Amino acid sequence: MVTPITKGRSFYLAFTTWWLVWIIVHIWVLREYEVSFIQSLADAFTSNLLLAAFCLLVVNNMKYYLPRNERYWYILIISLVLSSLYLFLVRTILKVWFKEDDVYLTLLRQSFYIRYITGFLMIGCMSMISLLWYTLLEQQENEQRKEEAEKISKDAELLKLRQQLQPHFLFNSLNSISALAGTQPEKARHMIQQLSDFLRGTLKKEEHQQVSLQEEIHHLQLYLDIEKVRFGHRLQTKLEVDEQAASMLIPVLLLQPVVENAIKFGLYDTTENVLIRIKADGTKKDMLEILIENPFDPSTTIATQGTGFGLASIARRLYLLYARQDLIRTSKTDQLFTTHILIPQYNHEMSHTRI
């Protein structure tokens, strides 16, 4: 329901002030025609109080019914009808009060058209003001509902991406634990403990949209420790994070799918040691830049593409959060695959947004 125009003291103050001024003008005009002060006062108060009442009636009517599809003839008809009713009541009341004064009654009869036009303009203007007010409020409420619906839809999609992420990683880890259980039970138990710590930390962060890069790197390190149990000395990592970048904000669990993608393409089809390099640059005040580099073999890339969930999910999340399509890109040089991510550093208000 739209907020009525009559809600609040400001409307009544402005409305009352206007009619007091108009009463004074009304009295002054009648005094210019040598109407007595008592008659002028009675005429002004009776006419303007009735006219004000009809204007309020129009305002309240517009609250419940607004002309649609440009049916503005409704306003014209309402203004004509209410102006006629207003003039009828005013003339009837004043004739009863001053029926013995022929001079005043003559003036009352001669002022018929000016009174009717004045009443029509007053009621018509109030109708248009009310129509504009309620139409704008209705549009604002529709926009607000639309934004809320879009936000709910966006948050639901973000949550879906988050829920997809954990099983995706969990299945890989459980497969690795299963493979280690028979041959290396100690490593399997250690990996289970690491996986437990990782998932516990993930659940704690479930409510937060953004965390500092330092916290995200700490959580990523748990993931890398699990992967190092799987791949042993073959997986090597190098983290380069400057002081400015460490305190910058990043969507939670954003880096893990990228690093997982780097591990998949870097280690799955080779027996050599592989170095995955993660570099974060915070020298730009309003932008956090992150590079993830891994070696790859062009001859086996197509065969190991998989579902493409990792980078696709990151691109989608970044678009939903920042409404930009240019925040992630990839490049290949020789046998090095690079993922370049940009994280805009808006006001920290986004860090309190919930999904």
Side-chain angles (χ1 to χ4, degrees):
M1 184 65 182
V2 295
T3 305
I5 192 175
T6 54
K7 185 177 181 179
R9 297 175 58 185
S10 57
F11 169 81
Y12 288 106
L13 179 62
F15 191 79
T16 303
T17 302
W18 165 257
W19 287 109
L20 286 176
V21 171
W22 194 247
I23 286 173
I24 293 173
V25 172
H26 195 139
I27 294 173
W28 175 76
V29 170
L30 291 177
R31 293 291 291 160
E32 288 293 311
Y33 284 91
E34 297 183 355
V35 177
S36 69
F37 179 75
I38 297 299
Q39 290 175 330
S40 300
L41 192 64
D43 190 322
F45 270 93
T46 302
S47 300
N48 290 288
L49 287 179
L50 281 173
L51 192 53
F54 279 112
C55 287
L56 286 176
L57 179 63
V58 167
V59 171
N60 288 320
N61 180 69
M62 288 291 181
K63 181 172 63 174
Y64 299 103
Y65 175 78
L66 286 177
R68 305 292 181 181
N69 301 324
E70 299 184 356
R71 293 166 56 186
Y72 299 135
W73 52 264
Y74 172 81
I75 295 178
L76 177 62
I77 293 176
I78 286 294
S79 299
L80 290 172
V81 171
L82 292 182
S83 299
S84 301
L85 183 58
Y86 147 75
L87 187 58
F88 171 77
L89 292 175
V90 167
R91 294 189 66 188
T92 300
I93 294 172
L94 293 177
K95 282 181 178 179
V96 171
W97 285 355
F98 304 109
K99 58 183 178 180
E100 303 296 335
D101 192 332
D102 294 334
V103 175
Y104 175 79
L105 291 178
T106 300
L107 180 63
L108 181 62
R109 184 173 56 256
Q110 291 175 346
S111 62
F112 173 86
Y113 292 107
I114 190 64
R115 288 176 187 269
Y116 185 82
I117 293 173
T118 301
F120 174 79
L121 291 177
M122 290 289 190
I123 294 173
C125 287
M126 203 67 198
S127 299
M128 293 303 298
I129 291 172
S130 301
L131 175 64
L132 179 61
W133 172 272
Y134 289 122
T135 300
L136 290 176
L137 282 181
E138 190 176 64
Q139 290 176 352
Q140 290 175 1
E141 289 193 352
N142 289 337
E143 287 296 324
Q144 184 178 358
R145 285 195 296 270
K146 182 180 177 181
E147 290 176 2
E148 290 177 355
E150 290 176 350
K151 183 179 183 300
I152 291 173
S153 176
K154 182 184 76 172
D155 290 348
E157 187 171 353
L158 284 171
L159 181 59
K160 181 180 178 181
L161 290 173
R162 291 282 306 279
Q163 290 173 336
Q164 286 176 333
L165 175 62
Q166 293 180 20
H168 182 74
F169 163 69
L170 184 59
F171 295 151
N172 288 340
S173 299
L174 291 176
N175 288 334
S176 299
I177 292 172
S178 176
L180 291 171
T183 58
Q184 303 180 66
E186 287 297 327
K187 281 190 175 182
R189 283 194 292 269
H190 181 62
M191 191 172 182
I192 290 173
Q193 182 60 48
Q194 289 177 318
L195 180 60
S196 175
D197 293 338
F198 177 82
L199 293 178
R200 186 181 297 112
T202 300
L203 292 175
K204 288 180 180 179
K205 296 178 182 180
E206 188 72 29
E207 295 295 328
H208 298 284
Q209 184 86 357
Q210 289 190 328
V211 294
S212 68
L213 179 62
Q214 183 177 4
E215 186 177 351
E216 178 74 359
I217 291 294
H218 174 73
H219 195 67
L220 179 64
Q221 192 64 57
L222 291 174
Y223 165 75
L224 291 173
D225 290 342
I226 296 172
E227 294 294 72
K228 285 178 180 179
V229 174
R230 295 174 59 196
F231 296 103
H233 66 277
R234 293 176 52 218
L235 174 58
Q236 300 176 12
T237 58
K238 183 178 182 181
L239 299 176
E240 302 175 17
V241 181
D242 59 42
E243 293 183 2
Q244 296 94 330
S247 61
M248 289 184 170
L249 297 178
I250 182 172
V252 68
L253 295 179
L254 187 80
L255 296 182
Q256 181 197 328
V258 185
V259 175
E260 184 176 354
N261 186 76
I263 291 174
K264 179 175 67 174
F265 285 99
L267 279 88
Y268 280 16
D269 292 295
T270 181
T271 58
E272 300 178 358
N273 294 345
V274 170
L275 173 65
I276 294 178
R277 180 169 173 254
I278 303 170
K279 180 180 180 181
D281 182 7
T283 55
K284 292 183 179 180
K285 185 178 180 181
D286 59 346
M287 191 71 70
L288 171 62
E289 297 185 57
I290 302 174
L291 293 177
I292 295 96
E293 296 178 345
N294 65 276
F296 79 105
D297 185 352
S299 63
T300 60
T301 298
I302 297 178
T304 59
Q305 277 185 349
T307 62
F309 168 75
L311 295 183
S313 70
I314 295 303
R316 184 59 180 167
R317 283 189 69 190
L318 290 174
Y319 175 75
L320 290 172
L321 290 171
Y322 303 104
R324 289 179 58 174
Q325 299 275 18
D326 60 339
L327 297 180
I328 182 170
R329 66 177 187 271
T330 59
S331 60
K332 301 175 183 178
T333 56
D334 297 330
Q335 291 188 334
L336 191 66
F337 187 89
T338 303
T339 302
H340 186 199
I341 301 174
L342 299 176
I343 308 296
Q345 298 299 297
Y346 301 139
N347 293 334
H348 289 191
E349 60 190 18
M350 284 195 65
S351 63
H352 303 293
T353 306
R354 300 196 182 265
I355 66 174

